[in-house]
Amino acid sequence: MKKKLIVGNWKMNGSLAANQALLQALLAGMGQSACGVAVCVPAPYWAQAQVLLASGAIDLGAQDVSQHAVGAFTGEVSPAMLKEFGVRYAIVGHSERRQYHGETDAVVALKTQSALAAGITPIVCVGETLAEREAGKTEEVVKRQLAAVVHTNGHCISEIVLAYEPVWAIGTGLTATPEQAQQVHALLRAQLQAATSHADRIQILYGGSMNAGNAAQLLAQTDIDGGLVGGASLKAVDFLAIVSAAQ
Ligand code: 13P
């Protein structure tokens, strides 16, 4: 069986003091985890998190990465810079980046490529909006988003982590039912199977109002290999409960 992976996406939250308290509480409460655990912290805090997470029990992640390697790209952060701070994962194509920063499927595919080239594991996000779901377009949308990444990355696709995050479930308290999530995960898995013989080892995470109460049921689904957790990753007790639901 694939190891489960629980990833906290802190988004634009945190401070030196709050991060220290949260990370220390997570480390103290986690013990020996049978699943992978990572936190994606805002870039200015990587140096702090790298020191606090030196034991390796929790991996460090970024929330975005540049498609470019170096140069005149004001405000961008390259994958090589992530590497210098021990960052293992980078979220790519989160719906908030697609929505507020105009990231297209093509940009997301290039960011995936640039992360992979530097040895950073991209956590590629796909997901439909409420309007798209209501119009019966869920399958079409997530397939289109994943197809761009598959097309650009060829056989390296087996090195990604994929995350299904229905936009209507993010930060809203609305969660996809385990059956709704599994249905989309299964079709994403089938799409990966058509692209690589290693599709079964690709972790597909669910994200969208995952919490201590609903995690176990979601994680019990055949094709749900972990979670990408927003709000609940900011509270140690809640995040630890999700981690233990994944064991
Ligand atoms: P919430 O868990 O707050 O709904 O956020 C999910 C998310 O966007 C994780 O990337």
Side-chain angles (χ1 to χ4, degrees), residues 29-176:
M30 231 177 56
Q32 280 279 5
S33 175
C35 69
V37 181
V39 286
C40 297
V41 314
Y45 299 126
W46 293 337
Q48 179 198 24
Q50 183 181 28
V51 173
L52 288 167
L53 300 179
S55 72
I58 299 176
D59 285 313
L60 184 54
Q63 298 173 13
D64 183 31
V65 65
S66 179
Q67 70 197 79
H68 305 289
V70 66
F73 302 102
T74 301
E76 296 272 292
V77 179
S78 74
M81 294 172 188
L82 271 62
K83 272 297 226 198
E84 286 208 292
F85 291 93
V87 172
R88 175 167 178 185
Y89 296 101
I91 297 172
V92 169
H94 192 280
S95 60
E96 288 150 16
R97 304 259 355 142
R98 292 179 190 259
Q99 192 179 344
Y100 306 136
H101 301 272
E103 290 190 10
T104 60
D105 293 342
V107 166
V108 173
L110 290 173
K111 288 187 170 196
T112 302
Q113 190 175 44
S114 105
L116 286 171
I120 302 274
T121 301
I123 300 174
V124 179
C125 300
V126 300
E128 81 288 2
T129 63
L130 184 58
E132 288 163 342
R133 174 162 281 263
E134 285 176 349
K137 293 194 168 148
T138 299
E139 179 167 345
E140 177 190 324
V141 169
V142 298
K143 279 189 165 173
R144 188 203 71 222
Q145 291 172 333
L146 179 56
V149 176
V150 168
H151 177 75
T152 304
N153 290 276
H155 68 274
C156 294
I157 199 68
S158 62
E159 304 302 320
I160 73 164
V161 170
L162 183 60
Y164 169 55
E165 295 207 313
V167 179
W168 49 272
I170 294 177
T172 56
L174 293 174
T175 318

